[in-house]
Amino acid sequence: MAAFFLPRASDDEQAERLYEALAEFAGCEPAPPGRRVHAIAFGQDGARWVAEVGAELRGERTTQQLRRGELIERTETLTSTTRVLAVYPGTPFVVVTDAQPITGTASEWANPFTAQPDEVTLFDAP
């Protein structure tokens, strides 16, 4: 587990302000300390993705193919240049990234986007 932080915040006070501002941008409520989300894993379009605060979105897709009577399994690594700025718990969870409209960076992901995680990692309680 990790202590609460947000990319681009230089200190704890700025991280708190940014966390609240990003929640407002995403149209959701900021989580109280102790319930803040560090990372989630979720399924999307047949792949398993991980959204971790401060890291680029990453995923894996496993496919199976029958070849000469043998089942061949292939795992493809998926990457995105989209960096996660914050994850807010809820139904569904809300993920805010550094893509448009926050920066000029284009992304294949909406910003913010929603996900139903099957795995959740919280930041350390303060």
Side-chain angles (χ1 to χ4, degrees):
M1 290 175 67
F4 176 72
F5 78 96
L6 289 185
R8 302 184 177 172
S10 56
D11 58 36
D12 291 348
E13 192 175 303
Q14 187 179 22
E16 290 296 328
R17 286 195 310 271
L18 185 57
Y19 187 71
E20 289 185 19
L22 291 172
E24 188 174 321
F25 162 75
C28 62
E29 288 296 315
R35 295 212 36 245
R36 294 183 177 170
V37 179
H38 182 233
I40 61 172
F42 60 96
Q44 177 86 16
D45 298 328
R48 181 163 168 80
W49 287 90
V50 174
E52 179 181 349
V53 173
E56 293 178 348
L57 285 165
R58 61 190 186 277
E60 282 188 346
R61 178 179 289 123
T62 302
T63 55
Q64 296 178 338
Q65 185 178 16
L66 198 57
R67 185 176 293 161
R68 296 189 188 126
E70 188 180 341
L71 192 61
I72 308 285
E73 201 171 81
R74 286 195 188 140
T75 301
E76 174 187 9
T77 299
L78 306 169
T79 58
S80 171
T81 57
T82 304
R83 187 169 302 279
V84 176
L85 298 180
V87 180
Y88 297 93
T91 308
F93 279 53
V94 177
V95 179
V96 179
T97 71
D98 65 352
Q100 294 175 340
I102 291 180
T103 67
T105 306
S107 173
E108 63 277 15
W109 295 85
N111 189 24
F113 70 87
T114 59
Q116 290 285 11
D118 48 43
E119 198 176 310
V120 177
T121 305
L122 299 178
F123 282 106
D124 289 335

